[in-house]
Amino acid sequence: MNKQRVRLATAGVVALALIGAACGSDEDSSSPADSTASSEASGEAPAATEAPAGDCETPEPVSLQLQWFTQAQFAGYFAAKDKGFYEDMCLDVTIVEGGVEIVPQTQLANGDVDFALSWVPKALASREAGANIINIAQIYQRSGTLQVSLVDKNITSPADFEGKKIGNWGFGNEYEIFAALAEAGLDPATDVELVGQQFDMVALLDGDIDAAEAMTYNEYAQVLEAENPETGELYQPEDFNVISYEEIGVGMLQDAIWADAARLESDPAYKDQATRFVAASMQGWTFCRDNAEECRDIVVAAGSTLGSSHQLWQMNEVNKLIWPSPGGIGYIDQAAWDRTVEISQNTPNLDGATVLTAPPTDGAYTNEIVEAAWAMLADMGLDLFGPDFAPIEVVLNEGGE
């Protein structure tokens, strides 16, 4: 293999990048380092002292566990691999596909993978149960969960869930629904009928449920790719009412990069790998922000079973969940973290159980890896904030083709 020139993290660079950083506790409310403040305003990567470059003879193997099957939800990682960003950081990354029975944070805690993607509340529940894991980069800055209903059901707010059949996926995906019910003053045991839903929109379109859980980037597109039997044409957005849990104030943090906390604490080589992995992943996501169609093609070529127009829709909607990133891509915002923790602790499900029984202990997250990664990327001129991000227009085809 040809030698690659790669910027390797050093103690001096990491120390500089971490001045003023938030470090691993849900109690910590500090902001990014002062050195990043002016960069945030301009949308430029924060400045950092030049790190010495090193030669990479053989990229180091690392693995990333996805939460689900190959799709544009994870496009930034596939792009980082396809465009050589990981290799430029001396990493040989294996992306491990997920599925219904795979719990990414468990795979990580068991040592089966080096890094994993998981929604924050799910990972915190595993952490409370003993998984020694830590959030090192909060890629999605906002929740993409929706509740979708046909307009004739007249469901325009959670208060309208009363007396209705409300679909949900379970598996820890339902807590935004319970939080919305609580905000509306509804008892989930008596005021609504909660119905287990498959990871599709068939039950909604067949009339078996009144409102279906959906992600902006996936299931919502599925209804817009389906034929309306009354018109013979595809359903249109005006055929549905959509409730965004983010917009009504009960959104919880979703896709984040998690690492093995014990290894991060004790193994400098793993910490260096984590920094380089996050840095290259950030490159992937900034590339996909600016090249949505090419990233769609990368994901389709990687083996997505969903069609081309569906994947472009998904890429566009995922970009909306990441960009703009007011604190910088990957940075864990204290207010969003606190809201996620509060809902996780105080929103019971039908059995009276909550996601968390107590606040997360120290070490649940850190911003130090993100800031060290920013420092590594500083001389590339990347926009890590995306203040001017604008989504593209996407036309869905039948079945997402």
Side-chain angles (χ1 to χ4, degrees):
M1 178 177 292
N2 293 332
K3 291 184 179 180
Q4 301 284 336
R5 298 295 290 178
V6 57
R7 181 175 305 284
L8 298 177
T10 66
V13 172
V14 173
L16 177 64
L18 302 188
I19 296 173
C23 296
S25 169
D26 60 301
E27 301 294 332
D28 194 332
S29 59
S30 57
S31 300
D34 291 342
S35 62
T36 70
S38 60
S39 301
E40 178 179 343
S42 64
E44 295 295 329
T49 296
E50 195 77 7
D55 287 330
C56 174
E57 293 285 355
T58 305
E60 303 159 18
V62 298
S63 52
L64 171 68
Q65 176 67 62
L66 304 182
Q67 299 173 89
W68 199 240
F69 303 106
T70 299
Q71 57 183 17
Q73 178 183 357
F74 316 114
Y77 311 104
F78 285 105
K81 186 176 178 71
D82 182 82
K83 306 303 290 186
F85 301 149
Y86 288 133
E87 187 176 14
D88 288 345
M89 290 288 178
C90 203
L91 297 173
D92 177 13
V93 175
T94 298
I95 299 177
V96 182
E97 199 170 41
V100 177
E101 303 299 326
I102 294 173
V103 181
Q105 62 271 24
T106 299
Q107 296 290 98
L108 173 64
N110 289 344
D112 296 322
V113 293
D114 297 298
F115 305 102
L117 305 178
S118 180
W119 286 15
V120 170
K122 297 180 186 180
L124 288 180
S126 295
R127 190 173 180 277
E128 186 175 80
N132 193 9
I133 57 176
I134 181 171
N135 182 346
I136 60 170
Q138 185 61 52
I139 301 301
Y140 284 20
Q141 296 292 304
R142 46 200 68 90
S143 168
T145 313
L146 307 173
Q147 208 72 26
V148 179
S149 60
L150 288 159
V151 292
D152 61 4
K153 298 298 182 180
N154 298 314
I155 300 174
T156 60
S157 74
D160 299 322
F161 290 173
E162 186 171 10
K164 301 293 198 303
K165 295 180 179 180
I166 305 301
N168 74 91
W169 298 314
F171 298 103
N173 298 291
E174 71 274 20
Y175 281 94
E176 287 167 315
I177 298 175
F178 284 104
L181 290 171
E183 289 284 320
L186 298 177
D187 185 337
T190 59
D191 294 332
V192 300
E193 183 179 349
L194 294 169
V195 180
Q197 176 189 329
Q198 297 298 313
F199 289 94
D200 57 40
M201 302 299 272
V202 173
L204 176 71
L205 296 179
D206 285 351
D208 296 330
I209 56 178
D210 297 309
E213 189 170 13
M215 301 306 297
T216 57
Y217 51 78
N218 197 357
E219 290 78 17
Y220 181 50
Q222 290 177 21
V223 295
L224 300 177
E225 297 161 356
E227 181 181 309
N228 183 341
E230 294 183 3
T231 66
E233 304 292 335
L234 296 185
Y235 280 105
Q236 298 299 308
E238 55 265 28
D239 295 322
F240 300 95
N241 285 324
V242 175
I243 297 170
S244 163
Y245 289 118
E246 179 72 19
E247 291 180 2
I248 66 172
V250 295
M252 303 170 80
L253 288 173
Q254 298 183 342
D255 292 33
I257 301 173
W258 294 79
D260 184 308
R263 289 178 67 191
L264 202 69
E265 177 75 20
S266 63
D267 184 355
Y270 178 68
K271 189 171 186 178
D272 180 56
Q273 280 185 344
T275 303
R276 287 181 280 132
F277 175 78
V278 168
S281 298
M282 289 176 176
Q283 285 183 271
W285 283 115
T286 57
F287 181 85
C288 287
R289 177 194 63 209
D290 301 331
N291 301 275
E293 291 187 356
E294 185 171 351
C295 280
R296 178 271 313 273
D297 295 341
I298 289 171
V299 170
V300 170
S304 167
T305 59
L306 302 172
S308 181
S309 73
H310 185 100
Q311 289 297 357
L312 185 58
W313 173 284
Q314 186 164 131
M315 184 71 260
N316 194 42
E317 293 300 320
V318 164
N319 272 334
K320 294 178 187 178
L321 301 181
I322 301 172
W323 310 105
S325 291
I329 183 171
Y331 191 80
I332 301 167
D333 175 72
Q334 188 68 46
W337 178 271
D338 290 344
R339 180 173 69 178
T340 298
V341 169
E342 191 278 330
I343 293 172
S344 297
Q345 279 187 257
N346 299 309
T347 301
N349 64 13
L350 279 176
D351 299 322
T354 57
V355 179
L356 300 176
T357 63
T361 55
D362 287 353
Y365 77 84
T366 179
N367 279 314
E368 70 173 71
I369 299 299
V370 164
E371 294 207 349
W374 288 349
M376 296 180 73
L377 300 173
D379 65 346
M380 296 184 185
L382 296 176
D383 172 6
L384 301 178
F385 300 89
D388 299 321
F389 165 73
I392 63 174
E393 294 292 327
V394 178
V395 176
L396 286 166
N397 299 323
E398 184 171 0
E401 294 301 319

